[in-house]
Amino acid sequence: MSESDIRVFASFPHVASLMRATGQEELARESSIMTQDDPTDEISDIEDRIERLAEIAERCRKYILASKIAIGAGTALLLITILGLFGTGQTAALGSIALVLGGIVSLGSNISTLRQTDEAIGAAEARRAALIGTIDLRLVADAPLKLV
């Protein structure tokens, strides 16, 4: 196992304590300091989480649209059934009621999920911005131009 592998494993608390017990205190201390000072891994994890949450939010938006379509179609079918157009029967009336109720339930569920997901995205972006703010960035002044 290479020294970099040991540093990665030493970032986990139980592994670091095991390293201290086996006489590798210096490496355990150095690796824990290194993981605390370098937030790039955590920023990368947060960005992955934001991407997953964005996919969930997009899926919720699609379900919300489908729910609204179901509510509209169910309402239209119910009106057609009540007015007696096209010779529809009781089965169509029950189906339209089920379509409207299912659409309402799906709409409410997905709207609340979307709100929670948006809040989680906002919190993750705030955490990412805070971590980026802790990085000591340096300016690159007058970098040489590429020769064409």
Side-chain angles (χ1 to χ4, degrees):
M1 188 180 312
S2 70
E3 188 172 318
S4 63
D5 292 337
I6 293 172
R7 286 190 176 139
V8 169
F9 288 120
S11 64
F12 298 105
H14 62 282
V15 175
S17 63
L18 181 62
M19 290 177 74
R20 285 186 199 94
T22 59
Q24 297 175 340
E25 295 89 3
E26 180 67 28
L27 189 55
R29 185 172 50 256
E30 181 182 316
S31 64
S32 66
I33 290 171
M34 187 177 75
T35 57
Q36 291 172 359
D37 292 339
D38 189 23
T40 55
D41 290 337
E42 189 174 353
I43 291 171
S44 177
D45 292 341
I46 290 172
E47 288 174 349
D48 290 341
R49 177 170 166 72
I50 289 172
E51 287 178 19
R52 287 191 311 270
L53 289 171
E55 290 171 2
I56 292 170
E58 186 60 33
R59 192 170 42 242
C60 285
R61 287 185 189 94
K62 289 178 184 177
Y63 282 121
I64 288 170
L65 178 62
S67 298
K68 289 179 180 179
I69 291 170
I71 292 169
T75 303
L77 183 59
L78 185 59
L79 286 175
I80 289 171
T81 304
I82 289 173
L83 296 175
L85 302 174
F86 305 123
T88 55
Q90 294 174 349
T91 306
L94 288 175
S96 65
I97 292 170
L99 194 58
V100 169
L101 292 177
I104 290 170
V105 169
S106 176
L107 180 69
S109 173
N110 282 291
I111 285 176
S112 65
T113 302
L114 180 61
R115 286 182 186 149
Q116 292 172 354
T117 304
D118 285 341
E119 289 172 5
I121 288 172
E125 286 176 343
R127 176 71 178 142
R128 181 184 64 184
L131 286 172
I132 290 173
T134 62
I135 297 175
D136 185 29
L137 300 175
R138 59 181 179 198
L139 294 176
V140 179
D142 297 327
L145 298 175
K146 270 184 155 177
L147 295 176
V148 178

